[in-house]
Amino acid sequence: LVGKEYDFILFDTPPIAVVTDAIILSKVVSGVILVVENGKTSRKVLPRINQKLKDAKARVLGVVLNKVATAGRDYQYYSYYYGRTR
């Protein structure tokens, strides 16, 4: 069983507002991390997505807001590369 070899297994699904894959998968995983694209994901759709996850009894671990412009901001972020080096 894969779960015995790894601490975390991540599944990337199509957008939850478009297809039901994520809802179906949410019923058999330990938790869900919702990724919201800044400037693309409508605020109007978020309550509907939240309700779908509640109805599925999904355990929401958190939300990630990606593609946020950081130029000219007063904060910094760190990035790392995981993988082989040449």
Side-chain angles (χ1 to χ4, degrees):
L1 194 62
V2 177
K4 291 182 180 180
E5 279 192 54
Y6 300 98
D7 294 329
F8 300 99
I9 302 169
L10 301 175
F11 295 95
D12 185 15
T13 65
I16 195 170
V18 179
V19 292
T20 60
D21 296 16
I23 295 297
I24 293 168
L25 193 57
S26 74
K27 296 177 183 186
V28 296
V29 297
S30 301
V32 174
I33 299 173
L34 187 63
V35 179
V36 178
E37 185 175 341
N38 184 47
K40 186 170 183 183
T41 305
S42 169
R43 288 184 183 191
K44 293 178 184 178
V45 77
L46 293 176
R48 188 177 66 195
I49 290 170
N50 187 43
Q51 189 59 52
K52 284 182 179 184
L53 291 168
K54 281 184 181 180
D55 292 345
K57 295 181 176 51
R59 180 177 174 222
V60 178
L61 301 174
V63 178
V64 173
L65 179 62
N66 70 357
K67 297 189 180 177
V68 176
T70 58
R73 304 287 179 177
D74 291 335
Y75 58 87
Q76 297 178 350
Y77 66 95
Y78 298 93
S79 64
Y80 297 94
Y81 172 77
Y82 295 100
R84 293 186 203 178
T85 58
R86 294 181 182 170

